[in-house]
Amino acid sequence: MARAWEVNGLSPDAGFRTAAGRIILTRWREMMSSRDGTLTGGDIEDLHAMRVSSRRLRAAMDAFADVFPASSFRRYLREVKGITDTLGDARDLDVAIEHLTDLIPDLELLDRPGIEGLIDRYEEQRRAEDARIRALFARLDDEGYAEKFEAWVTKHTGITVSRLRPAPPEAN
Amino acid sequence: MAKPRPVTGIDPSRRMRPNARRILATRIDEVYQYDGLVADPANITQLHDMRIAFKRLRYLLEIFGTAFSGDLDPFLEQVKIMQDLLGDIHDCDVQVPMLEAHLSWLEGQEAVSVERMLSNARRGRQPADETIALERFRSRLDAARRADERPGIHTLIAMRRAQRIVLYNQFTTEWRRLKHERFRQRLETTLGLH
């Protein structure tokens, strides 16, 4: 699993509101760093990393829900949940295909056609998921969701991405 | 999926630690509300909900870890073990019905293919030699039936069911051990909840 990014400037005595900004913006950037790889689809680990980060982001948003107005919080959380769910369906198929493919050499000859048929079916479903993922990100881009999300977090926590400078572990 | 229980008394103007204590206390309690319910392996929903409760607790321990001086890593590792075990059980619980649905799908595909084959056979010319005609019919029927795809799916279902029994036994052993080793009390003490 992809390692979580360090949260810069987070001290044990941090205020709840500023901690919310630092943690949520770090998890947000962590998630978005896998976006291009997920859309390219060359390595299934990119999609996995993005999904894991989206779950970390959701958990952070839930933990700090009281920092934000309830109505806008629900709206932003719903979109993040939509990302997790959309990626989740594709990830489940990636895992199933990989697992079944690994299983084939250990199976009796009699059992192989069934598993190969199942893999074919999952691969077909997986191609359909790619289209759903592309459509989701195209919509979020059209709506300027990334900019709005960061501005919303900054407004309620006082933390900006430019000051926080979130970065992957190896760059820290 | 069970919704997280609301946490009252959170004050965003305060420091992270007192708020984190309130949130974590609620989420620890949520995990333990499934004690007893998960003693029955047939309680699929409760096992799944307990996994979600462990997952929420794990993420919160990661999020709020910096606010506490005590070492939370051993607790995190244990929570992750439980989450993974329950996750593997859930995978089996999801996959078996999916594989059964795949068998039904194969049957549907088969019915369509056989109908199409019979329709073609009625329209086409048949070989005069009955043996050849019968052999050709058998061969086409076998191809249409996709019968060779079923044994593998039945084998996979049997494997998942057997795996589920093993995983559930591992889970109950771990859960009993956690309770015996007073996991909850030690975690709550480390977080300063007592």
Side-chain angles (χ1 to χ4, degrees):
Chain A
M1 189 182 1
R3 251 170 65 201
W5 290 14
E6 285 291 317
V7 179
N8 294 333
L10 187 65
S11 71
D13 291 324
F16 196 63
R17 200 177 287 280
T18 54
R22 289 183 186 282
I23 294 170
I24 291 173
L25 285 175
T26 303
R27 295 292 163 255
W28 164 259
R29 283 293 175 113
E30 177 189 310
M31 179 184 84
M32 294 306 278
S33 71
S34 303
R35 178 186 183 277
D36 291 347
T38 299
L39 285 170
T40 311
D43 183 351
I44 62 169
E45 290 309 311
D46 285 321
L47 184 140
H48 179 46
M50 187 166 197
R51 180 167 177 248
V52 171
S53 299
S54 77
R55 282 163 65 166
R56 288 194 188 114
L57 173 62
R58 270 174 66 185
M61 289 176 75
D62 275 330
F64 293 107
D66 289 274
V67 167
F68 303 94
S71 59
S72 61
F73 176 80
R74 273 196 298 272
R75 207 167 56 241
Y76 281 103
L77 185 70
R78 197 165 49 235
E79 286 292 8
V80 174
K81 187 175 180 308
I83 294 172
T84 312
D85 292 349
T86 304
L87 298 177
D89 292 341
R91 174 64 186 169
D92 289 347
L93 288 164
D94 282 340
V95 171
I97 292 165
E98 195 173 60
H99 174 74
L100 292 171
T101 306
D102 289 346
L103 198 64
I104 285 180
D106 299 328
L107 291 174
E108 302 284 339
L109 284 177
L110 177 75
D111 290 329
R112 291 184 189 184
I115 306 305
E116 285 161 353
L118 188 58
I119 292 172
D120 287 345
R121 197 170 166 216
Y122 284 168
E123 281 177 341
E124 197 181 314
Q125 291 173 3
R126 180 63 181 83
R127 282 190 287 278
E129 290 303 325
D130 271 338
R132 281 185 64 212
I133 292 168
R134 276 195 295 273
L136 170 70
F137 284 110
R139 182 177 62 75
L140 293 177
D141 287 348
D142 286 347
E143 292 172 2
Y145 182 76
E147 296 78 13
K148 285 179 185 167
F149 182 91
E150 291 183 1
W152 172 71
V153 177
T154 298
K155 181 182 172 186
H156 297 289
T157 65
I159 302 295
T160 61
V161 170
S162 57
R163 272 200 354 242
L164 179 65
R165 293 165 60 188
E170 49 276 12
N172 275 330
Chain B
M1 187 201 311
K3 284 197 168 178
R5 214 184 294 160
V7 182
T8 53
I10 298 297
D11 182 355
S13 66
R14 295 185 74 192
R15 292 192 190 284
M16 179 160 61
R17 194 179 302 126
N19 286 315
R21 281 194 180 118
R22 280 183 177 274
I23 296 169
L24 283 162
T26 306
R27 299 294 169 248
I28 292 169
D29 204 44
E30 263 173 13
V31 166
Y32 279 82
Q33 77 184 2
Y34 296 103
D35 184 26
L37 292 171
V38 292
D40 183 350
N43 283 344
I44 291 173
T45 307
Q46 287 79 3
L47 284 160
H48 175 56
D49 286 348
M50 188 187 212
R51 175 176 78 100
I52 302 296
F54 265 118
K55 188 174 77 176
R56 287 193 187 117
L57 177 60
R58 177 187 160 199
Y59 282 135
L60 286 170
L61 288 171
E62 284 175 0
I63 289 166
F64 294 131
T66 35
F68 299 94
S69 54
D71 183 12
L72 294 178
D73 283 351
F75 297 104
L76 262 169
E77 276 170 31
Q78 195 56 62
V79 167
K80 188 175 179 313
I81 288 170
M82 297 308 286
Q83 187 197 333
D84 287 348
L85 270 174
L86 287 164
D88 290 342
I89 291 172
H90 180 65
D91 286 348
C92 293
D93 288 337
V94 169
Q95 280 174 21
V96 169
M98 274 176 70
L99 292 168
E100 286 168 345
H102 182 67
L103 283 175
S104 303
W105 180 82
L106 282 175
E107 266 175 38
Q109 295 290 101
E110 188 177 277
V112 172
S113 300
V114 170
E115 183 55 45
R116 192 181 302 133
M117 189 210 81
L118 289 173
S119 162
N120 289 344
R122 276 193 291 269
R123 281 203 305 270
R125 284 177 55 202
Q126 303 302 321
D129 186 324
E130 244 181 55
T131 315
I132 294 173
L134 188 62
E135 193 49 47
R136 189 176 292 175
F137 181 81
R138 274 204 188 120
S139 150
R140 285 177 180 164
L141 185 64
D142 281 347
R145 285 188 61 215
R146 304 180 69 153
D148 63 335
E149 292 191 35
R150 291 183 190 191
I153 305 301
H154 283 295
T155 300
L156 202 52
I157 290 173
M159 282 167 71
R160 288 285 170 269
R161 287 199 170 127
Q163 199 179 16
R164 211 276 192 184
I165 293 169
V166 173
L167 286 165
Y168 181 77
N169 287 338
Q170 283 176 6
F171 160 73
T172 50
T173 304
E174 278 295 305
W175 183 233
R176 271 197 300 268
R177 190 176 63 75
L178 282 193
K179 289 195 290 182
H180 179 71
E181 292 175 358
R182 300 167 58 81
F183 176 85
R184 179 179 187 163
Q185 290 81 348
R186 285 188 292 113
L187 175 58
E188 288 178 340
T189 302
T190 305
L191 295 172
L193 296 177
H194 293 305

